[in-house]
Amino acid sequence: MPSPSNSSGMLTQLSQRITKINRLLCLVVSVATLLMVLTTFAIVVLRYGVGVGWIAMQESVMYLHAAVFMIGIAFTLAEDGHVRVDVFYRNMSQTKRCWVDALGTIVLLLPVCIFILSYSLPYVIESWNLLEASQEAGGLPLVFVLKSLIPLGAFLLLLQGISILINNINQLISQKR
């Protein structure tokens, strides 16, 4: 049976790996952000400068935008970049902040992620079964891939929530020593 400190070390390593994965995915997302900006610029120049437009090009911006938000949401959580109403939180001790973050993760974040996963998977599976494509003429035939970002984002957020929970528990344990 592993010792408590050994299992704590394993959990810390797991937490670090989860955060590392989300940071790596953030680098990919930053490239997608650049592509989104360049594609939007090209759309505007082509439409108003040349009088040409393609639905697929416009939809690609929407796909990139969705990827940026759904993949980047977990990284933003890892960096504590989400909006927080911290009227009380900012005046709390580090121990109380750990408790608030741990309980908020357990009571709010994890159940919401599980809810999104459980309700989006059948929706996404059906889209994959149909190989759902855009309803617009000339649109991208990849709506099923776009919809796959919903459970992917929820899963990444769930993993990052677990990472944050591990970190908070470790901090609470180390503060008791």
Side-chain angles (χ1 to χ4, degrees), residues 46-65:
L46 288 171
R47 179 180 292 159
Y48 297 107
V50 185
V52 177
W54 292 285
I55 298 294
M57 195 174 193
Q58 292 172 354
E59 285 185 358
S60 69
V61 171
M62 179 182 62
Y63 281 54
L64 289 167
H65 190 257

Side-chain angles (χ1 to χ4, degrees), residues 85-146:
V85 180
D86 65 351
V87 175
F88 302 108
Y89 187 84
R90 67 177 161 207
N91 296 323
M92 290 180 177
S93 68
Q94 186 61 36
T95 303
K96 287 181 182 177
R97 286 182 184 188
C98 284
W99 277 108
V100 168
D101 289 343
L103 292 174
T105 300
I106 293 168
V107 173
L108 299 171
L109 180 65
L110 298 181
V112 166
C113 291
I114 292 167
F115 174 81
I116 292 171
L117 274 169
S118 64
Y119 276 88
S120 68
L121 282 175
Y123 173 71
V124 172
I125 290 168
E126 180 64 23
S127 185
W128 272 85
N129 286 337
L130 298 171
L131 293 177
E132 190 175 1
S134 175
Q135 294 181 358
E136 300 293 326
L140 294 175
L142 302 170
V143 172
F144 60 98
V145 174
L146 177 65

Side-chain angles (χ1 to χ4, degrees), residues 145-161:
V145 174
L146 177 65
K147 289 182 178 181
S148 299
L149 291 172
I150 299 168
L152 175 62
F155 179 70
L156 292 172
L157 194 59
L158 178 76
L159 286 179
Q160 192 60 51

